[in-house]
Amino acid sequence: MSNYTGAVPDTATRPLAWLTLAPCKADPDAMFPGSNEHDVEYAKSICRSCTAIDNCLQWALDTGEAHGIWGGLTEGERLALSRQPVRPISIDDYTGTPKTRSTTGLTLQQVWDANTITEGKHLLWTGPKVINRPGTKDQITPNRLAFYLDRGHWPEGDTKRDCGVRGCVLPAHLTDRRERAEEAGLAVAV
């Protein structure tokens, strides 16, 4: 007897379900083929059958994954892509909202929720490298967004990650110039 209920899976609320459903999970070693062209082509063929190829590639580019086949590209192909100048991505571009619409698209919290994934004691960013702040021409990085959503104000100066894990945006792992100065016992000009 089948357990099939006829219900459609709720993938809209789980934007990163591709991590658990990706066909490469059946043979993860194949995704690290070395230099053998036949093995590389086999790994790429697995990617071509995957519906999450774009998400996978974006994650690999954002986290700087240096090994294996991700999103259908080799290490060298991803490196060539990452050397291209960054094109600012607005929230409307990212969500596919037509520019002719009068709504502003997603809120910053919605963007955050859709583009983070827990990885052990870290929170990894899987979205675009920069986000246009709604209602302004300001661009923000995932680190600045994490800081703002956690502390309720924008960081002063740059944000630095103290955990050393590339792509981690866990607010507890981020500090701004003021927090670093206070931690060092230095006076901060207001």
Side-chain angles (χ1 to χ4, degrees), residues 5-6 8 12 28-29 39 44 52 57 67 85 91 99 118 125 127 129 134-135 148 157 185:
T5 64
V8 177
D29 291 337
D39 292 343
K44 286 183 170 186
L57 176 59
H67 305 287
I91 292 174
K99 293 206 178 292
T118 302
W125 180 257
K129 291 185 180 194
Y148 171 76

Side-chain angles (χ1 to χ4, degrees), residues 97-120:
T97 305
K99 293 206 178 292
T100 56
R101 252 176 98 171
S102 61
T103 62
T104 59
L106 298 177
T107 65
L108 291 176
Q109 184 65 53
Q110 289 170 325
V111 170
W112 174 262
D113 293 341
N115 293 292
T116 54
I117 182 170
T118 302
E119 183 73 30

Side-chain angles (χ1 to χ4, degrees), residues 74-142:
T74 64
E75 299 95 334
E77 293 166 333
R78 289 193 310 275
L79 183 60
L81 267 181
S82 67
R83 288 185 176 155
Q84 295 176 0
V86 176
R87 179 184 71 85
I89 301 174
S90 75
I91 292 174
D92 287 342
D93 286 341
Y94 187 71
T95 61
T97 305
K99 293 206 178 292
T100 56
R101 252 176 98 171
S102 61
T103 62
T104 59
L106 298 177
T107 65
L108 291 176
Q109 184 65 53
Q110 289 170 325
V111 170
W112 174 262
D113 293 341
N115 293 292
T116 54
I117 182 170
T118 302
E119 183 73 30
K121 295 180 180 180
H122 303 280
L123 190 62
L124 302 180
W125 180 257
T126 61
K129 291 185 180 194
V130 293
I131 303 161
N132 287 346
R133 195 166 147 197
T136 71
K137 292 185 179 184
D138 296 340
Q139 293 181 339
I140 53 175
T141 63

Side-chain angles (χ1 to χ4, degrees), residues 32 49 56 102 115 129 141 144 156 160 164:
F32 299 90
S49 69
C56 180
S102 61
N115 293 292
K129 291 185 180 194
T141 63
R144 292 181 70 78
E156 291 185 23
K160 290 192 178 181

Side-chain angles (χ1 to χ4, degrees), residues 14-30:
R14 297 175 314 177
L16 300 173
W18 62 272
L19 291 172
T20 57
L21 300 175
C24 60
K25 293 198 71 116
D27 189 7
D29 291 337

